[in-house]
Amino acid sequence: MAADGRLFLGVDFSTQQVKTIAINDSLDVTNEYNVKFDTELPEYKTHGGANIHEDHVTVTAPTAMWVKALDLLLDKMKADNFPFSRVAALSGTGQQHGSVYWRKGARDILSSLDASKSFSDQLQDSYSIGDSPIWMDASTTKQCRDLEEKVGGPQSLTDITGSRGYERLTGNQIAKQYQTQRAAFGNTERISLVSSFAACLFIGDYAPIDDSDGSGMNLMDIRTRKWSPQCLDACAPDLDQLLGPIVPSAQLVGKVSQFLVARYGFSPNCQVGAFTGDNPASLAGLAPKQGDLIVSLGTSDTVFLWLTEPKPALVGHIFANPVDTSAYMALLCFKNGSLTRERLRDDIADKSWDKFGELLQKSPIGNNGNIGIYFDITEIQPVVEGVYRFSETDDEVSSFPPEVEVRALIEGQFMARRVYSETLGFQIDSNTRVIATGGASMNTAILQVLSDVFNAPVYIKDVANSAALGCAFRAKHSWLGPGVPYTEVVKGVNEPVCVAKPTPGADKIYEPLCARYRVLEEKIAQKNS
């Protein structure tokens, strides 16, 4: 590591660990540290960083565990002689949707910590509710339906907040705490997201919620980027006071606390940028630009969209964009991803990706009009399970030859990704880039289909620890000030590599095929409703 020069720190409070990455002025990674909850803090008895309750739908994490993990992380850095004094700015991220409940009087404790003692020792009694609900919780179906009804229905809630009522979203979790733990809720002074909670620890005061993570709560108006009074009132009284203000994701929220200066040697001038959620932070780590569509090809497939004119729908989520205050990002998740691809590979391609690719290339683009829809497990949109095959005349058939089956799977999956992206307002044009990450991003035959279906070049880019790295980038962005676009901050960083370009004429084939796919999927959904 260089002997001098400023550093920027990204801190990631994820589900299973807290991690930090330091970068230099050139955005090169200089240091990485982490603390894994299950193994390094076994006294909290978590599995995968969470506690699943007896009802199997309530899932929480001990708030105190996250604080103790930060103590351990900073102590590791200190033992390694990490140069805290060179950190010019830091920012961070937390698992989305989780909530923390500070008890009355906690702010006074937080702002006057003794540098001779740990965070954990001094903050252990600072929470009115000690088990934080997290994103894995599915116990709030009643609160979701109540919220939708109170604001005029699912589409109305979606139009306001960017999402219909989902069990994991924070507003519904807050409503449950208000209804079931009234005394503890009454002793609450501030409610933080996991991200803003982590920022509180760094500034020694209550930190505001940023607008990108705030979009994942069913409480924020995505157009005004302010709390929706209608949604707040539907969940609990006086929520505007309990939640505090919303700030843009790139805003500085303070300097590091005197506690951190004295205990670890941070510079008193070290700036803290607003912390955000893990999905927005991952988007930042991939250093996208306007017009990009990011497809993460994993166990489940996730699509990130950069939007300028969102169209909120009853599928997916629309958030404020974490790196551009005038833009939005959308998130779509599809459960049937790589496991479905691997199942078909094993069934008809002798467990060989090479043979799978050969079969894929044996059939023409468009698959002679044959369409397959493969939901090995119940999909998110639509909520359907099963395998459905259709001929070029839209008649359902029982089987396809191997080369048709393979192409039907891949084309069907990518047509679904395109159809739902366009539903949320994404427009494919000459500037569109599809950036592929994840396991299947190494398979060129699959990526060629992705390019053809979207009629756009496909680039590959895999970024390790993208959320923590994205926050280190965001720290520099915040430090430079609002006049510098994020794209300038990350210019030239780990540029993606173009691996596929659309086959000439592909757009003429997939435009009508996508329209047919949409109709066929709707028929399946209606039949199964």
Side-chain angles (χ1 to χ4, degrees), residues 34 82 111 118 147 160 266 277-278 286 290 293 314 390-391 477 503:
N34 72 296
F82 178 79
S111 61
S118 67
L147 176 58
I160 298 167
F266 277 94
D278 52 4
L286 289 164
Q290 186 174 332
L293 177 144
L314 296 179
F390 299 93
S391 69
H477 183 217
T503 303

Side-chain angles (χ1 to χ4, degrees), residues 144-397:
C144 291
R145 300 295 82 81
D146 287 349
L147 176 58
E148 289 176 343
E149 184 180 340
K150 287 174 181 174
V151 301
Q155 187 60 55
S156 178
L157 181 62
T158 304
D159 290 340
I160 298 167
T161 70
S163 302
R164 65 173 302 163
Y166 284 96
E167 282 78 2
R168 67 186 181 279
L169 300 199
T170 324
N172 306 302
Q173 295 291 338
I174 291 171
K176 179 189 171 186
Q177 306 311 310
Y178 171 66
Q179 293 164 18
T180 62
Q181 302 200 63
R182 190 65 62 91
F185 197 91
N187 191 35
T188 300
E189 180 173 271
R190 174 61 67 98
I191 300 173
S192 297
L193 294 178
V194 177
S195 59
S196 62
F197 169 73
C200 295
L201 300 177
F202 280 94
I203 66 171
D205 197 359
Y206 290 152
I209 291 171
D210 84 293
D211 56 11
S212 196
D213 206 9
S215 314
M217 299 174 72
N218 270 156
L219 294 176
M220 190 189 89
D221 186 321
I222 58 168
R223 308 285 180 183
T224 64
R225 307 195 182 202
K226 305 289 183 189
W227 299 123
S228 161
Q230 193 178 7
C231 295
L232 295 182
D233 292 345
C235 291
D238 303 319
L239 261 191
D240 57 337
Q241 298 300 311
L242 288 171
L243 291 168
I246 297 173
V247 298
S249 295
Q251 185 164 312
L252 293 170
V253 296
K255 294 181 180 178
V256 294
S257 67
Q258 185 55 41
F259 169 81
L260 289 173
V261 173
R263 187 170 174 86
Y264 293 104
F266 277 94
S267 162
N269 296 316
C270 176
Q271 300 276 7
V272 179
F275 281 37
T276 193
D278 52 4
N279 286 307
S282 292
L283 181 85
L286 289 164
K289 60 185 182 183
Q290 186 174 332
D292 284 353
L293 177 144
I294 298 164
V295 182
S296 175
L297 300 166
T299 302
S300 57
D301 287 350
T302 305
V303 179
F304 295 94
L305 308 170
W306 183 302
L307 298 177
T308 51
E309 290 294 330
K311 296 178 181 175
L314 296 179
V315 295
H317 309 278
I318 291 175
F319 303 139
N321 191 305
V323 298
D324 184 333
T325 55
S326 64
Y328 298 84
M329 67 170 275
L331 179 69
L332 286 159
C333 190
F334 301 84
K335 284 186 184 177
N336 291 276
S338 66
L339 295 183
T340 308
R341 293 186 285 270
E342 288 165 12
R343 192 262 303 168
L344 213 61
R345 175 203 65 187
D346 294 349
D347 287 353
I348 62 177
D350 298 331
K351 300 184 178 181
S352 163
W353 281 122
D354 289 340
K355 186 170 181 182
F356 188 93
E358 289 168 11
L359 288 168
L360 189 54
Q361 291 166 323
K362 273 187 181 177
S363 48
I365 67 170
N367 213 11
N368 294 316
N370 294 295
I371 290 176
I373 298 174
Y374 299 79
F375 298 146
D376 284 8
I377 57 175
T378 304
E379 191 46 86
I380 297 171
Q381 58 269 323
V383 183
V384 172
E385 183 180 350
V387 174
Y388 306 86
R389 302 175 183 88
F390 299 93
S391 69
E392 70 277 11
T393 55
D394 293 344
D395 296 313
E396 194 164 352
V397 296

Side-chain angles (χ1 to χ4, degrees), residues 460-479:
I460 55 172
K461 183 172 189 175
D462 265 313
V463 176
N465 305 304
S466 59
L469 184 64
C471 287
F473 294 163
R474 291 178 56 252
K476 183 171 184 181
H477 183 217
S478 298
W479 180 78

